Amino acid sequence: MNGFQHLTVLCEETVDAVLGDRKGCYVDATFGRGGHSRQLLASLAPEARLIAFDKDPEAIAAGEALAAADARFSIVHDSFATLAAHVEALGLTGRVTGLLADLGVSSPQLDDAARGFSFMNDGPLDMRMDPTRGVSAADWLAGVSEADLADALKTYGEERHARRIARALVAARAKAAITTTRQLAELVAAAHPAWEKHKHPATRSFQAIRIVVNRELGDLEDFLDQALAVLAPGGRLAVISFHSLEDRLVKQFIQKAVKGDDFPPGLPVTWQQLRPQLKKIGKAVEPSEAEVDRNPRARSARLRIAERLAEAGA
């Protein structure tokens, strides 16, 4: 396990948001280096249970060390997209008191050049949260069509110059494989016609490729779709997002569950299908100036909180 430091974002706010029954069952869907889990365990009773998920083998190693020291805690080496199946296997469906997720990439992943997430240090172009599974960024770039690459850069990086960058990358790979973060960053920078102030021109492209390689938005949608089934009545959901694509999915999910499902007029439905399933808790929480000063990567974080309703109108 490497020694890269990780500062947990909105730690107290998130744990306070989900903490209910101190003897209850909790899920940390994105363990990382365990900041939220440790904060939560500090407030839980000896009878409580905390289950964590993570894709990253290094996060799993940290989680297994915590599990060895605290019998209340266990960790699953898998995506939070598999939440419902694991919770069901434990017999805990509909019994989870609090469910939290801290989306995106952790600081140790960004800071370790060998992981290939960042253009700040040269390293192999990997970007996988779990390097033992799936296709690396280099392999994906080697095979993706120009049209699909442009679409990914536009959709997941919100890159206005996606077509131009995609064209340049496809032309470059025809001469030599793109295998390092520095290669990719330099190619994108050279192709980019309008650099944003205080932002590296490859920022959006790196984000887009990382999201595709890790299926981040698809996993998030799957996770949210399963959240209601695992939560107990009165259970809390808290999700921290770091960019607009994630936050939009979380916001829309909560809005829909607060409103209840939409059905065409005249379609026969039961009241259970129409009733609201979540109650929104407050406005989105953002980090304080003091936290951003300590950890500039927290700047874009946004925490949304909702509570599982027991019945219609609850």
Side-chain angles (χ1 to χ4, degrees):
M1 185 166 58
N2 66 44
F4 294 100
Q5 185 181 23
H6 177 66
L7 297 177
T8 305
V9 174
L10 291 167
C11 189
E12 292 185 6
E13 295 89 340
T14 304
V15 170
D16 288 348
V18 299
L19 186 59
D21 180 4
R22 295 180 187 274
K23 298 179 181 180
C25 172
Y26 292 82
V27 175
D28 180 349
T30 51
F31 179 74
R33 291 302 181 269
H36 291 113
S37 283
R38 290 183 176 87
Q39 180 82 5
L40 190 52
L41 287 167
S43 299
L44 295 180
E47 306 94 314
R49 189 167 188 178
L50 173 57
I51 304 146
F53 288 73
D54 211 290
K55 293 180 179 180
D56 192 324
E58 293 184 1
I60 295 301
E64 289 173 346
L66 179 57
D70 194 325
R72 298 172 297 172
F73 177 81
S74 61
I75 190 162
V76 177
H77 186 188
D78 212 341
S79 166
F80 61 10
T82 65
L83 171 72
H86 287 287
V87 170
E88 182 178 3
L90 295 168
L92 297 170
T93 301
R95 296 171 55 191
V96 173
T97 308
L99 172 60
L100 66 91
D102 180 2
L103 307 176
V105 185
S106 68
S107 291
Q109 289 170 330
L110 286 170
D111 294 338
D112 184 356
R115 300 300 299 273
F117 282 101
S118 175
F119 44 75
M120 300 302 291
N121 299 294
D122 193 26
L125 189 59
D126 195 308
M127 294 195 192
R128 287 173 293 175
M129 292 181 181
D130 184 350
T132 68
R133 306 177 188 178
V135 176
S136 71
D139 287 342
W140 182 78
L141 270 177
V144 67
S145 70
E146 182 178 326
D148 287 346
L149 176 55
D151 184 59
L153 297 179
K154 181 179 180 181
T155 302
Y156 302 122
E158 300 178 294
E159 174 56 72
R160 289 184 300 161
H161 305 286
R163 290 185 180 180
R164 180 168 178 163
I165 293 169
R167 191 180 311 119
L169 293 179
V170 169
R173 80 182 182 194
K175 300 176 182 177
I178 305 170
T179 60
T180 71
T181 55
R182 179 172 295 166
Q183 275 181 286
L184 177 59
E186 289 178 352
L187 287 167
V188 173
H192 206 297
W195 293 17
E196 298 175 66
K197 190 175 182 181
H198 306 307
K199 180 178 285 190
H200 191 286
T203 300
R204 294 180 182 274
S205 295
F206 268 67
Q207 173 183 297
I209 295 168
R210 189 201 80 216
I211 287 173
V212 171
V213 166
N214 293 288
R215 196 181 175 270
E216 291 180 36
L217 296 185
D219 278 9
L220 175 57
E221 288 179 320
D222 290 345
F223 165 74
L224 293 171
D225 286 344
Q226 297 166 44
L228 292 171
V230 306
L231 282 170
R236 292 279 186 92
L237 169 69
V239 183
I240 304 170
S241 59
F242 287 85
H243 58 73
S244 60
L245 299 174
E246 294 171 336
D247 186 55
R248 190 178 304 130
L249 285 177
V250 177
K251 181 179 179 180
Q252 290 174 348
F253 166 78
I254 293 174
Q255 287 176 335
K256 182 178 178 181
V258 166
K259 180 181 178 183
D261 286 333
D262 289 323
F263 293 94
L267 184 70
V269 294
T270 64
W271 70 267
Q272 289 95 338
Q273 292 172 300
L274 290 170
R275 69 178 176 87
Q277 295 176 296
L278 286 178
K279 175 173 67 174
K280 179 182 172 184
I281 305 297
K283 296 181 179 180
V285 179
E286 298 180 0
S288 65
E289 290 185 10
E291 179 170 3
V292 173
D293 286 342
R294 291 193 306 271
N295 180 18
R297 286 175 177 164
R299 182 177 291 107
S300 59
R302 182 165 292 186
L303 168 64
R304 295 190 184 274
I305 308 158
E307 182 177 302
R308 180 78 161 95
L309 294 176
E311 58 187 43

